[in-house]
Amino acid sequence: MGATVVIGWDMNAALAMARALGVSPLIAAECLSEIEAVMVRKLNEQMAAERA
């Protein structure tokens, strides 16, 4: 059976959350891709460690 992996975030939801928090959409769009890359990598590492 294949392992579950995270491939990315729902960016529409992430931008909506940023907007609800009062964060500029321009700033959020600029920062979210870098934050997403780190979080995806770390979540996948954590899930792999839990399977081992």
Side-chain angles (χ1 to χ4, degrees):
M1 190 180 318
T4 300
V5 295
V6 176
I7 58 171
W9 287 352
D10 178 345
M11 284 299 172
N12 285 328
L15 287 169
M17 185 169 52
R19 192 176 325 105
L21 292 169
V23 176
S24 162
L26 205 54
I27 299 296
E30 189 71 31
C31 297
L32 277 173
S33 62
E34 292 182 38
I35 295 168
E36 176 193 31
V38 172
M39 289 302 298
V40 165
R41 185 170 51 254
K42 293 298 182 182
L43 284 170
N44 285 327
E45 288 173 3
Q46 183 180 11
M47 288 189 298
E50 290 173 359
R51 285 192 296 269

